[in-house]
Amino acid sequence: AASRAAADARGRSERPQSAAASRITGISLQEAQQILNVSNLNAEEIQKNYNHLFKVNDKSVGGSFYLQSKVVRAKERLDEELRIQAQSDKEKGWKAET
């Protein structure tokens, strides 16, 4: 119950689309940024850190499948946030023209 309450509170503090993305991926934006060690949403930095962390956590080199999975989920969450931001920017541009 406490976990659900915390998730609900976290969802209320985010934008509606962002909160929905957190629920779908099961990971918050903040947690995804911490996992991939990025402070801002920069696609190149996200990809670079993802590639490194995915490679070092590969099971064939003694890594952890669980950690590798967390890295994948974090990238998915950040990619979704980048998509939401791009869509929002596009809509703002469209509204400014009308």
Side-chain angles (χ1 to χ4, degrees):
S3 178
R4 182 174 299 278
D8 290 343
R10 187 173 54 243
R12 283 191 297 271
S13 67
E14 296 179 353
R15 296 183 316 242
Q17 285 183 323
S18 187
S22 291
R23 283 191 300 277
I24 291 168
T25 60
I27 188 170
S28 71
L29 177 60
Q30 181 182 6
E31 184 180 3
Q33 288 177 306
Q34 288 175 338
I35 290 169
L36 290 180
N37 193 30
V38 294
S39 56
N40 55 16
L41 297 178
N42 177 321
E44 293 82 26
E45 184 180 6
I46 291 168
Q47 187 64 46
K48 177 184 162 209
N49 290 0
Y50 167 79
N51 290 340
H52 171 73
L53 291 170
F54 189 86
K55 190 185 322 179
V56 298
N57 285 298
D58 190 351
K59 200 169 184 180
S60 67
V61 295
S64 164
F65 179 73
Y66 172 77
L67 291 177
Q68 194 177 46
S69 297
K70 293 294 273 188
V71 168
V72 169
R73 296 295 165 248
K75 175 131 180 7
E76 288 175 347
R77 178 62 182 90
L78 294 176
D79 286 345
E80 183 63 18
E81 191 67 23
L82 287 170
R83 186 194 67 75
I84 290 168
Q85 282 187 356
Q87 182 180 4
S88 176
D89 291 347
K90 182 179 173 183
E91 289 172 0
K92 285 178 186 174
W94 182 75
K95 288 179 184 175
E97 292 176 8
T98 57

